[in-house]
Amino acid sequence: MQTIVLGGGCFWCTESVFLSVKGVQSVVSGYMGGEAATANYRTVCGGNSGHIEVVKVDYDESVVPLEVILDIFFATHDPTTRDRQGNDVGSQYRSAVFYTNEDQKPTIDRTVNKLRDMGIDVVTEVHPAVEFYKAEDEHQDFFNRNPNQAYCNFSIPPKLAKLRKEFNQYMTN
């Protein structure tokens, strides 16, 4: 099993995407990258803790390689907007990849450089993973437990449709 931590805006959206990917064993919403000694939804959403809403993805690389995880990540969020994903604005929504071992970094760098070579102005931050703070229970598996929530119904179906269109062979259903 491998682990990567991804910040692609609202963690509800990113979580929903990766829960639909074959080989992904778990997706945990949380916070990473801030200066504060602890993190919770209220402080992170306040924008002053320095943390990013992230998902910790545990995956079987023999089923879904890191290259594919990263391709899915970059295809299902906007890596070109600093501190913003759609209507979500603030540093807690910035695009970031936190690698959990040094072997992951060259793959991340290649992926970012490939996008830049295509003319995409990627602003995604790349850092070694630091302390992960699990989000409160009500934020875990949020979309599946709250399918009628308005924000989710607006934001998540287009991401899942793109996943289905571009990465169907990696979808669980």
Side-chain angles (χ1 to χ4, degrees):
M1 292 302 289
Q2 294 287 321
T3 300
I4 192 88
V5 181
L6 305 169
C10 172
F11 48 35
W12 300 339
C13 298
T14 310
E15 175 192 62
S16 296
V17 167
F18 286 98
L19 284 173
S20 302
V21 175
K22 288 180 190 172
V24 170
Q25 300 300 312
S26 73
V27 182
V28 179
S29 292
Y31 317 101
M32 188 174 276
E35 298 298 322
T38 62
N40 60 56
Y41 192 71
R42 177 175 279 213
T43 60
V44 172
C45 284
N48 297 319
S49 73
H51 291 92
I52 302 170
E53 286 193 14
V54 296
V55 293
K56 182 170 71 169
V57 179
D58 293 327
Y59 62 99
D60 180 343
E61 196 164 39
S62 70
V63 177
V64 58
L66 179 58
E67 292 87 352
V68 174
I69 294 282
L70 294 169
D71 287 345
I72 290 169
F73 172 67
F74 283 108
T76 56
H77 88 290
D78 184 352
T80 68
T81 55
R82 190 170 310 282
D83 297 343
R84 176 183 203 124
Q85 285 297 308
N87 292 329
D88 293 328
V89 178
S91 63
Q92 68 272 25
Y93 300 116
R94 62 193 187 270
S95 176
V97 177
F98 293 93
Y99 53 94
T100 60
N101 66 62
E102 287 296 324
D103 292 339
Q104 294 174 332
K105 186 150 182 352
T107 303
I108 297 164
D109 291 342
R110 274 194 310 276
T111 302
V112 169
N113 288 333
K114 176 180 71 174
L115 294 168
R116 288 184 176 143
D117 289 347
M118 295 167 54
I120 299 170
D121 185 21
V122 176
V123 298
T124 304
E125 299 175 13
V126 177
H127 303 289
V130 292
E131 187 161 0
F132 175 81
Y133 298 93
K134 182 180 176 187
E136 298 79 1
D137 288 344
E138 64 262 25
H139 298 294
Q140 306 303 324
D141 198 25
F142 190 86
F143 184 53
N144 288 330
R145 292 184 309 100
N146 299 278
N148 297 318
Q149 205 273 354
Y151 174 85
C152 291
N153 278 313
F154 173 77
S155 299
I156 295 172
K159 292 175 183 291
L160 295 177
K162 189 167 193 178
L163 178 67
R164 186 169 290 102
K165 180 179 178 192
E166 295 182 21
F167 301 95
N168 192 51
Q169 71 273 29
Y170 291 102
M171 290 195 67
T172 56
N173 50 24

